[in-house]
Amino acid sequence: MYWKCSNVDDSRRIFDEISDKNAVVWTSMITGYTQNQQTNIAMCMIKKMLVSGHKADSITYNTLLSSFSNIDDMIHCEQIHCSIIKQGLDSDVYLAVTLVTVYSKCGSSLQDFHKICATLPVKNKITCNAIVAGFSNMGNVEKALGVFSEMRQIGIDTDFFTISSILKVIGVMSTFKEGKQIHGLIVKSGHSSNIYIQNGLISMYAKSGNFDEAKWMFTSMVEHDTVSWNSLLSCYAQHGKGKEAVEVFEEMRNTKVKPDLTTFLIVISACGHVGLVKKGLEFFELMRSNYGSPKVEHYACIVDLYSRAGFLDEAEVFVNRMGMEAGPEVYKALLSACRVH
C-alpha cells in the first residue's frame, strides 16, 4: 500500500520491523524500489535477500530486469543474468524473453545480443517478437526485417507487437517500397484500424519523407490522439517544413485533443529551423501558462530558437533567467550558435 503511494520511508520502516522475512516480503520490497525508479537500492536488496538464504524466483528477477532501461543498467542486467543461470532459471521462457528485451535497451553489442537470442529455449511468436523488438530497440532495421521475414516463412503468426516493432524502425533506412509492403501486410492482417498501428504508419512515412502518405494516413483515421498529431507534426518538423508544422499545430488546437510537452517541443523546434522566433516564443508561453512546466529540453529549444536567428544576447539573458539549472543541452545550443555567429 505504501509503495503505491510512493512513501519509501514508511515502506522501508515496516519492512525493517518484520523479524522473519520470507521471499514474498523481500520481493515486495524489491518491487517497490523498482516502481519508484530506485534501481540501485533494489539491487542492494536482492543481494541481501540472497545472502540471507532466500532464493529469488522468476517473478523477482522479471521485476528487476523490467526496470532496467539504459546503458547505465547494463552491469545490473549482467549480474542478474548470472544469478538466473546459477539458480537454473535460464530455461524459463519468460525470463529469457525479458533478458532479450533488456539487453537490447541497455546498449548490448550486436554480437552479445546474438548470443542472448541463441539461449531462447523455444522459437515461437513470443520469443520471435522479443527478438524483433530487440533489433528494433537497437535500431538495426536489416536484422529486425530478417527475423520478421523468417517468422512469416516458417509459419509463425505476426501480431500487433511484431508490427509495432517493425514500424518503429522501418522508416529509418528502408525504402518507400518496403514501407508500402508492410502497410499492405497490416491491412491483410486486420490491424489497420488500430490507432497505435496507424500512428506507427504515420511515423514510418514521416521518417522516410513521404509527406503525402503520412498526411493521407492521418486524414484516413477515424479518431486521433496526441501521438497521432505529434507524429504528423514530426513529419514536417524533421524535414524543415516549419510553417506547415505551425499550421498543423493550430489545427490541433481547434480539436478536443490536447497537446502535451512533446507537442510543444516539436513545434518550437520547427519554428527555430525556419526563423519563426516570435511564433516559437508564443508557443513556449502558451505551454507554460496552460499545459505544464517546461523541461530543460524546452529551454534548450528556446535557446536554439534565439541562437539560430542570431539573437545571442537574448539567448544568454534567457539562460540566466531560466529558474532551473541549465543542462548540457542548453549550453550546447548556445555554444553552437557562438561558433556560427
Side-chain angles (χ1 to χ4, degrees):
M1 179 186 73
Y2 284 111
W3 280 123
K4 292 180 180 179
C5 299
S6 299
N7 196 323
V8 179
D9 294 335
D10 285 343
S11 300
R12 185 55 186 264
R13 177 178 53 79
I14 293 172
F15 174 83
D16 290 338
E17 290 175 354
I18 300 174
S19 56
D20 187 19
K21 302 178 182 68
N22 57 27
V24 175
V25 173
W26 282 99
T27 298
S28 296
M29 193 71 195
I30 292 167
T31 300
Y33 279 121
T34 60
Q35 289 176 347
N36 282 270
Q37 292 79 50
Q38 294 179 305
T39 305
N40 289 332
I41 301 178
M43 284 297 297
C44 290
M45 291 300 295
I46 195 167
K47 290 174 184 177
K48 290 180 180 179
M49 175 183 179
L50 297 175
V51 169
S52 69
H54 294 287
K55 283 189 176 182
D57 59 15
S58 59
I59 297 175
T60 312
Y61 286 130
N62 244 323
T63 299
L64 256 177
L65 287 169
S66 297
S67 69
F68 304 151
S69 59
N70 57 63
I71 194 168
D72 295 332
D73 292 324
M74 178 56 83
I75 184 66
H76 299 323
C77 182
E78 292 172 338
Q79 290 172 348
I80 295 300
H81 193 182
C82 287
S83 296
I84 288 171
I85 294 172
K86 287 179 181 179
Q87 288 188 218
L89 296 173
D90 47 317
S91 60
D92 185 305
V93 65
Y94 294 105
L95 271 179
V97 164
T98 304
L99 281 166
V100 167
T101 303
V102 173
Y103 269 101
S104 71
K105 289 181 177 180
C106 295
S108 170
S109 68
L110 187 59
Q111 183 179 5
D112 287 343
F113 185 69
H114 274 296
K115 291 178 181 178
I116 296 298
C117 292
T119 66
L120 288 168
V122 294
K123 180 174 284 188
N124 57 26
K125 182 160 62 177
I126 294 173
T127 56
C128 286
N129 276 352
I131 297 173
V132 172
F135 284 125
S136 176
N137 290 334
M138 298 169 74
N140 195 315
V141 183
E142 184 180 348
K143 294 290 185 181
L145 286 173
V147 178
F148 177 72
S149 178
E150 183 184 357
M151 288 176 69
R152 298 182 65 203
Q153 289 173 5
I154 62 179
I156 297 177
D157 291 335
T158 56
D159 61 11
F160 168 82
F161 299 102
T162 326
I163 293 169
S164 296
S165 297
I166 288 295
L167 287 176
K168 184 179 177 181
V169 293
I170 191 73
V172 178
M173 292 175 59
S174 303
T175 64
F176 177 68
K177 180 181 178 181
E178 288 174 318
K180 291 295 286 184
Q181 288 174 344
I182 295 296
H183 193 169
L185 178 63
I186 290 170
V187 173
K188 290 179 181 178
S189 64
H191 294 293
S192 59
S193 61
N194 185 292
I195 191 170
Y196 301 106
I197 296 296
Q198 291 171 331
N199 289 341
L201 284 167
I202 297 172
S203 181
M204 179 193 75
Y205 286 125
K207 287 177 182 176
S208 55
N210 292 289
F211 306 109
D212 291 340
E213 294 291 336
K215 182 67 174 179
W216 174 84
M217 189 67 242
F218 180 84
T219 54
S220 68
M221 295 171 65
V222 176
E223 61 176 332
H224 305 103
D225 60 10
T226 306
V227 176
S228 310
W229 286 99
N230 287 352
S231 298
L232 187 62
L233 276 168
S234 295
C235 178
Y236 294 110
Q238 290 171 0
H239 297 278
K241 295 183 177 294
K243 292 182 180 179
E244 289 85 348
V246 170
E247 290 173 2
V248 170
F249 178 71
E250 296 292 3
E251 185 181 346
M252 178 185 183
R253 290 180 64 192
N254 291 324
T255 70
K256 295 180 180 180
V257 181
K258 291 184 177 181
D260 60 11
L261 293 180
T262 300
T263 314
F264 284 101
L265 191 65
I266 296 169
V267 73
I268 293 171
S269 176
C271 289
H273 281 80
V274 293
L276 298 175
V277 178
K278 185 177 179 180
K279 206 67 177 174
L281 293 173
E282 175 188 321
F283 292 150
F284 181 79
E285 290 303 322
L286 175 67
M287 173 186 63
R288 187 157 57 178
S289 301
N290 300 303
Y291 295 97
S293 300
K295 306 295 183 184
V296 67
E297 51 264 35
H298 295 96
Y299 285 102
C301 210
I302 293 297
V303 172
D304 184 67
L305 180 80
Y306 275 129
S307 301
R308 285 177 181 272
F311 301 145
L312 300 187
D313 291 338
E314 288 84 350
E316 184 179 2
V317 170
F318 181 79
V319 171
N320 293 332
R321 293 178 177 176
M322 277 176 54
M324 67 166 62
E325 184 177 351
E329 304 100 321
V330 174
Y331 290 118
K332 183 179 178 181
L334 195 57
L335 289 173
S336 296
C338 290
R339 285 199 295 267
V340 173
H341 299 284

